[in-house]
Amino acid sequence: MSKRSRKATSYDVARIAGVSQSAVSRVFKQGASASESMRKRVLEAAAEVGYRPNAIARGLITQRSNMVAVLISRMTNLNYPEVLVQLTQAFSERGIRVLLFTIERESETPSVVEQLLQYQVDGVVTAATLQGPQLELLDGAGIPVVFYNRSLRDGRVSAVRCDQEQGERWLVGELGAAGHQSFAIISGPADSAVSVERTSGALRRLKELGITNVPVVQGDYSYESGRHGFAELMKMRARPPDAVIAANDVMAIGCIDEAREAFGLAVPVDVSVVGFDGAGPAAFAAYRLTTVRQPVERMTHATVQMLLERIEDPDLPPEERVFAGTGVPGASARLPSPEEPRTLP
Amino acid sequence: MSKRSRKATSYDVARIAGVSQSAVSRVFKQGASASESMRKRVLEAAAEVGYRPNAIARGLITQRSNMVAVLISRMTNLNYPEVLVQLTQAFSERGIRVLLFTIERESETPSVVEQLLQYQVDGVVTAATLQGPQLELLDGAGIPVVFYNRSLRDGRVSAVRCDQEQGERWLVGELGAAGHQSFAIISGPADSAVSVERTSGALRRLKELGITNVPVVQGDYSYESGRHGFAELMKMRARPPDAVIAANDVMAIGCIDEAREAFGLAVPVDVSVVGFDGAGPAAFAAYRLTTVRQPVERMTHATVQMLLERIEDPDLPPEERVFAGTGVPGASARLPSPEEPRTLP
DNA sequence: TTGAAAGCGCTACCAT
DNA sequence: ATGGTAGCGCTTTCAA
C-alpha cells in the first residue's frame, strides 16, 4: 500500500466532504464564514486523506510567502547561535518561516539577493553587509530590510544594533580611570562593520583621554588571531601595553593565553585585556573577561518586530534602534571600581 | 516614479521582447531550446523591467520547492554555527535553500513537522529528535529525512553521525591504560540521543575494564552544569574521582573550573577530565581538553549528499554513515602516550 | 452560507 | 525553434 500517491488537495477533500473546493479553502482560513456542520464534515474529510494546505500555492495567490530571509556571514562575529536561534523562534511564533542564507565572500552577495528575491521572501534580516545596489534591488521590490548590528551612515535603512561605541567608551573609560597609560587594539576583519565601530569608538575615547599612538593589529575574530595579535604587539614594543582592547571576546581570550603562555605575563597584573560580546566563554573561570554584554534577546525581538511592522506597512519610515550594552567588570582588567554588571548610561 | 509597481512577470517580458510567454520560460531554463537571437532579446527585455523568475510559482508546477528543512533544538549539543553554516553552504552550492526550524520543547515537534509539510520542502535534515508519528508523516508524504548525529534503533531512516561510542571507548581506554581507577560521568540531558550514546559507550568500556559503580550526574551541556556536576560528584565521595568523563567539551571546561576553583585541585594531576566535540573552546590554552573531535565538515557534506540522492531517487533505501572521531590527547587528562591527534581505528 | 469561476506566475506538453 | 494551451493548488470576488 504505497503512500507515494500524490498529496491530497482541497479538491480531494471537497469531493469527499461533498462540498465545493472554495468551501474547503474557507474552512482552513482564519475568520471565514462556514457553518458548523460543513466545517465538521470538511475537517473529517481532510483528516481522512491527510490534507494539509499548500503554503506555496497560497503564497502565489496572496502574494505573501510568510518567509523571511536571514543573512549571515561567517565573518560576522555572530555572537553565537543565540542570535540565529532566537530570531528563528521569534519569527516562528508569529507564523513566519526563516530562509537562511550564508554569505562567505563578498562576491556572493548579489547572487544571494537574487535568490531571496526569487523566493519571494516578505522581508530580510541581514547580519552581513549589503551594498548599495543590492539594497536598491530589495527596495525596488518593496521588500523591507532590517540590519542587525550594522547600520548605514545615511540612516536610510532600518537597523537594530548594540551601541558598540558606547561599550568601548565604557571599557576605555574604566581602564583609563584605573591608570592604564599604554594601549593596544586587536581589531576584527577590516570589512566587519561591527569591528570598525568598536575600534574607532575605542580610539576616539582614548584620544579624549589624551592617548594617541595606539597600535592596532588586525585579527579575524578567531582565537588564533587573538593569540597572534598579541604576539605581534609584543614585537612592536619592548614592553607589553598596559591594556589590550580586543574587538571580541574570543580574541581577548586568545590574547590572554598568548600573554600568559608565550610571555609569562599575568592578567590583569601585567596586562589588562578586554573584549566585547559577553556570551558563553567570557564567563569561563580561567578568563572572566572584562567585557560588554549585548542584550541579544531584546535585540532579536526588536528586529523581528521592526521587520514585521514594515511587512504590514511598507511605507513606514526607516528606524534605528540602538541598545546599550551591559558593562561586565570581570577580572581580566584592573578596574577602578569592581562592581556588579551594570547597564551603560 | 514609484517602484512599488507589481513585479514584472514572464508575460511582461514576453510582450516587450515580442515573443511568447513560454519562450521566456525556456530562456530562463537550463538546457532549453532557444535561438541566440531570441535569447538575447528576452534577456534584454528582462533586464529592462528587472524580471526574475518566481521560484514559488515554479515550485508549484514542478512539485519541487528546492527547499529543505533543517531542524535544530537548542539542547542539541550542536557544535552549532559550524554545522548549520556548513550545511547551508553545501546545500546552497547545489541550488537548494534552507528553511530553518527550531524545536524548543518536545511538544512543538508535531507543529513544526506540520509547518515544513505545508511548505513543501523537498527533504529534511534533523538534528533534533523526531518521534515515530512525525517520521511516518514525512515518509507518507515521500519526503526523505536524514538524521544528524542521531539514529533510530531499527535503522529504518538515513543518518549521518559520529561514532560517539567509539570515541568514548578511546577516551576510557586511554584513561584506563594510564592507570585511572575511579571514574565519574557528567552526562547531557536525558532526552539527548548523543548524550545517551556517549554515556553508555563510556560505561560499557569501563565495565570491560572491570570498573563498575561509576556515579553519573546529569547536566544540560552548559558550562554551569559542568561546574555544578563536579560539585555534585564531590558531595558523593570523600575524594575526587581519578577521572571525570563529561558528555561534551563545554561541561568538561566547567568541570575543570570547578575542580580548580572550588576544590583547589590541579588538572590533570589531581583529576583528569575529558570531553567530546573538539571544537572552539576545547583548544583554549587554559584547558587544552583531552577530547574527541567530530569530523564536522565530512559529516555535513555526507548529510547533504545523502539527502540530495534521496530527493532524486526516493526509493533509495535508508543508509547510515558513521564517521570516526579523532582522538585529541590534549592536556586535561593523564594519558599513557602523549601523541598527535589521531583518527580512531 | 455556499458555489462557480477567474486567476496568482510558472512549466510542460503539444502542435506547428 | 517557437507559440498555444492546460494546468500546479490555492484565494477571492461575485452571484445565488
Side-chain angles (χ1 to χ4, degrees), chain A:
Chain A
M1 178 165 103
S2 165
K3 277 249 197 172
R4 180 75 29 80
S5 53
R6 279 175 50 269
K7 287 192 64 176
T9 73
S10 54
Y11 279 93
D12 301 326
V13 176
R15 196 171 351 94
I16 296 178
V19 299
S20 75
Q21 180 270 333
S22 28
V24 176
S25 174
R26 265 184 243 114
V27 167
F28 280 90
K29 198 190 164 178
Q30 264 301 328
S33 52
S35 67
E36 260 321 303
S37 72
M38 171 166 130
R39 155 167 278 111
K40 188 163 176 245
R41 276 195 301 161
V42 168
L43 290 178
E44 269 171 11
E48 187 179 325
V49 295
Y51 168 75
R52 164 170 20 246
N54 182 327
I56 296 294
R58 169 185 298 155
L60 191 55
I61 177 95
T62 59
Q63 307 284 40
R64 270 292 185 77
S65 63
N66 286 319
M67 298 191 298
V68 300
V70 172
L71 314 193
I72 61 177
S73 67
R74 188 175 287 176
M75 278 300 87
T76 300
N77 172 41
L78 199 31
N79 53 52
Y80 302 86
E82 282 310 290
V83 177
L84 197 50
V85 168
Q86 285 187 26
L87 278 177
T88 304
Q89 291 196 156
F91 276 123
S92 180
E93 284 161 14
R94 314 295 212 58
I96 304 285
R97 252 55 54 193
V98 166
L99 210 44
L100 183 61
F101 293 88
T102 63
I103 297 182
E104 200 62 359
R105 289 169 295 284
E106 190 120 346
S107 59
E108 295 175 1
T109 315
S111 100
V112 164
V113 171
E114 202 67 23
Q115 289 301 322
L116 61 88
L117 242 21
Q118 292 189 201
Y119 274 83
Q120 317 291 117
V121 296
D122 297 333
V124 176
V125 171
T126 178
T129 304
L130 237 44
Q131 299 94 332
Q134 272 60 254
L135 275 177
E136 255 143 57
L137 231 45
L138 292 168
D139 196 44
I143 300 178
V145 177
V146 175
F147 278 53
Y148 187 88
N149 251 356
R150 49 203 1 90
S151 64
L152 255 42
R153 312 136 284 297
D154 54 8
R156 297 219 349 185
V157 61
S158 295
V160 169
R161 58 191 190 83
C162 179
D163 194 334
Q164 322 286 350
E165 165 139 12
Q166 180 200 36
E168 291 294 347
R169 296 182 71 82
W170 178 78
L171 289 167
V172 173
E174 294 290 295
L175 290 170
H180 295 76
Q181 310 259 345
S182 65
F183 289 75
I185 291 178
I186 301 178
S187 76
D191 57 351
S192 160
V194 169
S195 165
V196 171
E197 283 175 42
R198 291 179 183 173
T199 304
S200 64
L203 285 172
R204 241 191 307 269
R205 186 76 178 91
L206 284 167
K207 199 168 186 179
E208 289 175 11
L209 297 177
I211 298 167
T212 54
N213 209 347
V214 176
V216 178
V217 302
Q218 183 175 318
D220 62 6
Y221 286 141
S222 73
Y223 173 77
E224 286 74 18
S225 78
R227 293 198 67 136
H228 187 254
F230 187 80
E232 284 288 297
L233 290 173
M234 292 298 283
K235 276 191 209 148
M236 299 166 64
R237 297 271 205 277
R239 304 182 344 181
D242 295 340
V244 178
I245 297 165
N248 76 343
D249 286 345
V250 174
M251 290 196 296
I253 288 173
C255 183
I256 291 173
D257 281 345
E258 186 73 8
R260 287 174 175 162
E261 282 207 338
F263 298 95
L265 299 171
V267 175
V269 178
D270 298 321
V271 55
S272 287
V273 179
V274 302
F276 208 113
D277 283 344
F284 289 178
Y287 304 105
R288 292 198 201 290
L289 252 37
T290 300
T291 185
V292 172
R293 178 158 47 236
Q294 301 193 57
V296 173
E297 184 154 355
R298 288 191 296 140
M299 288 170 66
T300 54
H301 276 79
T303 303
V304 169
Q305 191 196 337
M306 196 177 289
L307 187 63
L308 261 30
E309 283 173 2
R310 277 157 186 74
I311 291 175
E312 289 315 320
D313 179 2
D315 293 323
L316 246 35
E319 183 184 347
E320 192 159 325
R321 287 190 60 181
V322 181
F323 288 82
T326 305
V328 180
S332 68
R334 304 187 300 283
L335 296 193
S337 49
E339 304 166 23
E340 288 305 293
R342 57 179 179 191
T343 303
L344 303 184

Side-chain angles (χ1 to χ4, degrees), chain B residues 316-333:
Chain B
L316 246 35
E319 184 184 345
E320 193 159 324
R321 287 191 61 181
V322 181
F323 288 82
T326 305
V328 180
S332 68

Side-chain angles (χ1 to χ4, degrees), chain B residues 20 22-23 26 33-35 60-61 63:
Chain B
S20 74
S22 26
R26 264 183 247 114
S33 54
S35 67
L60 191 55
I61 176 96
Q63 307 285 39

Side-chain angles (χ1 to χ4, degrees), chain B residues 71-80 127-129 150 192 221:
Chain B
L71 314 193
I72 61 178
S73 67
R74 189 177 288 180
M75 278 299 83
T76 302
N77 172 44
L78 215 23
N79 337 232
Y80 254 136
T129 303
R150 52 206 354 94
S192 160
Y221 286 142

